[in-house]
Amino acid sequence: MPILGSLIKGVIDVTDKLSQELNPVEEQNEVLKNLLETASETDFGRHYKFQDILDQENVAKTFASKVPYFDYEKINMEWWAKLHENQTDVTWPGNPDYFALSSGTTGKTSKRIPVTEDMIDSIKKAGIKQVLALSNFDLPPNFFEKGILMLGSSTDLIEKKNHAEGEISGISASNIPSWFQGYYKPGKEIAKIDDWDRRVKRIVEEAPNWDIGALSGIPSWLELMLKEVINAHGLENIHEIWPNLQVYTSGGVAFGPYEKSFNALMGKPITIIDTYLASEGFIAFQSRPETDAMQLITDNGIYFEFVPFEPNYINPDGSLSDDAPSKTLAEVELGQDYVLIMSTVSGAWRYMIGDTIEFTDIERAEIKITGRTKFFLNTVGSQLSVNKLNDAVNFLEKEFDIQIPEYTLCAKKYKDGFYHTWYLGTNNDVSEKRLSKSLDSFLKQANKNYKVARTKALRGVKVKKTDPEVFYEWSGENKKKGGQVKMERVMGEEKFMEWEEFVTSKS
């Protein structure tokens, strides 16, 4: 009998029951006040008169009217750049202990996002909240005695004069609590290996020695790792080597496009739990099995605002217009895409991380990621967000019984007009012509704006198939393999030209 697992499960059950009374709106009001009070004597806090904001009757409304929106380029140029000149108390008291390097899905150049000790504490607390929420899932006691394989970026951080740098998953893994060390795989030694291929090779070698109960990581890279383990050990599926695998926590990217290819690697169904960890903080996690939506963490050092995702509020470069209205958690509505805005204990203020979300349950503060502001396809009025593109790919998978774990597209101009030109990562034997026809038909039925665009400047759909491996090689050459790297779903014409040349070179 798994005695330790029963004890842990019992503690989780009791603790979660004691902490279920939540009031997200009140929690958010308190978080905002704490952020403003803590940062009131920083350069940023004095510049925007945080103390005066705190003295107003409606703190949230005054904060939104006095402090402008920031994206990375703006806040880095005006404020965070001072941190690299040894200035202190810039946007948060003291100096950050870490900088999270993130190229995201937009290019080679790494952003350097400050990560303070307060943020490390926030991420740890969020992780504990997610563990406690496991009491809502029907998991047996022995699950809580198994290893958790976290496939993030390297924990071998770059040491600078007064801070360290690395991707957020590597920073988080290098700060995991001591009590978790016994569960954590691949362990400190392997996690430090910076080269993705070498790290996976060591995981493959050690795989038979581990009893894995849960996996965590970006779906695309996790799939590649699982395939390596399966192929190296001559397996039919991953459960032949890890029979107790029961949970996968996905993070920061929609799992839908990967669901079919991921499940093909399993020997039996497992529980999928979505997690939303970004370089700017631990934002949300799936707290119950009745939904695949995620609950915003509203009491943990991050204050959220929400800007309606409307074309007239978005500048051509993906930033927000100055007059774009923001909503508090008390003001949001169902059925509306919002640009997510964050103020955090790392000194990000009214910061646009580039994601769009939709509320599925306002009382519980539950959301779904719907896309990226820069990957909103509206060149010819089609108004397609990433979640709508994902829906189309999922439709093709079901319609033709195929797997399409990766894709990208561009509204490309040809001699006779614009075509949505898709590259689908699949090895299945379905003609590109049939895929084009079905894709176009689905989008017409599912999206009225697309249907209207097809009667005007948008001439149609072109589909090209390529091996899914090409997408991973593209990421490897343009950014880096593994970690938090995600494939861009929508490209501009200049970037798409580079992509097509790259695909041609691999064929």
Side-chain angles (χ1 to χ4, degrees):
M1 180 181 179
I3 297 174
L4 177 61
S6 296
L7 288 172
I8 295 172
K9 182 174 172 61
V11 169
I12 289 173
D13 287 342
V14 171
T15 306
D16 191 54
K17 285 182 174 64
L18 292 174
S19 60
Q20 281 184 347
E21 294 300 320
L22 302 175
N23 188 321
V25 171
E26 288 184 6
E27 290 171 349
Q28 280 287 273
N29 290 336
E30 193 63 29
V31 166
L32 177 58
K33 289 177 183 178
N34 289 338
L35 288 172
L36 294 172
E37 287 170 357
T38 305
S40 62
E41 294 304 313
T42 63
D43 293 347
F44 193 95
R46 287 193 293 268
H47 181 82
Y48 288 105
K49 298 180 173 58
F50 279 5
Q51 199 57 59
D52 289 350
I53 294 174
L54 285 163
D55 291 337
Q56 303 304 308
E57 183 176 348
N58 192 325
V59 174
K61 185 176 181 179
T62 307
F63 174 66
S65 67
K66 298 297 184 183
V67 181
Y69 297 119
F70 288 90
D71 57 15
Y72 174 78
E73 285 72 22
K74 182 178 179 182
I75 199 169
N76 186 61
M77 180 178 65
E78 296 180 13
W79 297 97
W80 288 347
K82 300 175 184 179
L83 296 170
H84 303 294
E85 299 169 358
N86 296 322
Q87 295 189 39
T88 60
D89 303 328
V90 177
T91 62
W92 194 252
N95 276 97
D97 296 275
Y98 303 92
F99 280 86
L101 304 179
S102 171
S103 60
T105 49
T106 55
K108 295 180 181 180
T109 304
S110 284
K111 300 174 182 177
R112 302 170 79 192
I113 299 165
V115 180
T116 62
E117 277 297 331
D118 290 320
M119 179 56 75
I120 294 295
D121 289 342
S122 171
I123 292 172
K124 287 180 181 178
K125 289 175 184 176
I128 291 171
K129 285 176 179 287
Q130 185 172 28
V131 170
L132 294 176
L134 290 174
S135 65
N136 298 324
F137 296 82
D138 187 21
L139 298 170
N142 71 346
F143 169 78
F144 298 94
E145 295 182 335
K146 307 303 178 184
I148 301 176
L149 176 54
M150 300 170 64
L151 193 69
S153 50
S154 171
T155 58
D156 188 18
L157 306 178
I158 304 166
E159 295 293 336
K160 299 289 186 176
K161 185 176 181 181
N162 57 358
H163 67 269
E165 298 181 351
E167 290 185 24
I168 191 63
S169 57
I171 293 171
S172 301
S174 65
N175 282 278
I176 61 174
S178 57
W179 61 266
F180 187 66
Q181 296 287 351
Y183 298 93
Y184 171 60
K185 305 298 179 189
K188 287 184 175 181
E189 180 187 342
I190 296 176
K192 282 188 175 182
I193 300 174
D194 185 54
D195 182 84
W196 163 260
D197 295 316
R198 282 182 51 228
R199 193 169 358 133
V200 169
K201 183 178 179 181
R202 292 285 289 115
I203 290 172
V204 169
E205 292 171 356
E206 293 294 327
N209 303 322
W210 298 336
D211 187 3
I212 300 298
L215 299 169
S216 177
I218 297 291
S220 54
W221 301 110
L222 196 70
E223 274 194 32
L224 285 180
M225 182 275 294
L226 293 175
K227 288 177 182 177
E228 291 292 328
V229 173
I230 289 169
N231 292 335
H233 297 285
L235 310 174
E236 291 293 325
N237 60 70
I238 199 63
H239 276 104
E240 290 185 4
I241 197 168
W242 295 329
N244 294 307
L245 175 60
Q246 300 178 65
V247 171
Y248 167 47
T249 59
S250 174
V253 63
F255 180 66
Y258 303 96
E259 184 175 7
K260 192 162 188 176
S261 57
F262 182 87
N263 287 336
L265 305 176
M266 301 292 118
K268 53 188 175 183
I270 67 173
T271 299
I272 309 297
I273 301 177
D274 274 333
T275 300
Y276 192 0
L277 172 64
S279 298
E280 294 82 4
F282 201 145
I283 297 168
F285 62 85
Q286 184 183 343
S287 65
R288 57 195 182 101
E290 298 90 346
T291 176
D292 58 0
M294 297 176 286
Q295 186 176 63
L296 284 173
I297 307 172
T298 52
D299 64 345
N300 195 33
I302 301 177
Y303 175 69
F304 299 103
E305 295 173 84
F306 313 92
V307 175
F309 187 39
E310 304 290 348
N312 51 315
Y313 297 148
I314 309 296
N315 296 321
D317 64 355
S319 62
L320 287 173
S321 62
D322 293 336
D323 62 347
S326 66
K327 306 287 185 181
T328 66
L329 188 57
E331 299 169 326
V332 295
E333 301 174 353
L334 295 175
Q336 168 72 56
D337 279 1
Y338 291 101
V339 178
L340 185 63
I341 306 296
M342 295 166 55
S343 299
T344 78
V345 291
S346 274
W349 296 102
R350 305 201 78 212
Y351 183 89
M352 175 184 175
I353 68 170
D355 289 335
T356 60
I357 60 97
E358 177 186 356
F359 280 87
T360 60
D361 189 313
I362 294 174
E363 187 176 343
R364 288 189 172 98
E366 289 181 337
I367 64 166
K368 285 186 176 182
I369 302 172
T370 56
R372 298 280 295 171
T373 55
K374 292 185 178 181
F375 297 163
F376 180 62
L377 193 61
N378 195 35
T379 307
V380 286
S382 54
Q383 294 192 28
L384 294 176
S385 58
V386 172
N387 66 318
K388 292 177 181 177
L389 302 177
N390 288 342
D391 289 344
V393 171
N394 289 340
F395 166 77
L396 291 180
E397 289 187 316
K398 293 174 183 176
E399 177 78 3
F400 296 102
D401 191 24
I402 60 177
Q403 297 175 15
I404 310 173
E406 295 290 355
Y407 73 88
T408 193
L409 72 151
C410 172
K412 183 178 176 180
K413 190 172 184 179
Y414 294 79
K415 288 182 178 180
D416 60 336
F418 284 96
Y419 287 81
H420 282 180
T421 304
W422 293 66
Y423 276 78
L424 301 180
T426 181
N427 290 316
N428 296 103
D429 188 21
V430 181
S431 75
E432 294 174 346
K433 187 175 181 179
R434 290 181 66 199
L435 290 168
S436 298
K437 185 176 180 180
S438 290
L439 190 56
D440 188 40
S441 176
F442 173 82
L443 289 170
K444 284 179 183 176
Q445 293 175 22
N447 303 283
K448 62 180 181 181
N449 291 315
Y450 178 87
K451 186 176 182 180
V452 171
R454 281 287 285 109
T455 66
K456 299 179 179 179
L458 184 60
R459 304 293 297 166
V461 168
K462 294 180 183 287
V463 167
K464 301 181 181 182
K465 298 191 302 180
T466 190
D467 193 310
E469 294 288 333
V470 174
F471 290 83
Y472 310 133
E473 291 176 19
W474 166 265
S475 292
E477 287 202 16
N478 285 268
K479 302 166 195 172
K480 189 178 181 181
K481 288 185 177 181
Q484 300 296 112
V485 174
K486 307 159 194 172
M487 181 66 196
E488 48 264 80
R489 294 307 190 198
V490 177
M491 295 183 184
E493 287 202 74
E494 186 176 339
K495 187 70 171 288
F496 198 69
M497 187 182 300
E498 294 178 22
W499 160 257
E500 293 202 294
E501 289 174 356
F502 182 83
V503 174
T504 301
S505 72
K506 297 297 178 180
S507 61

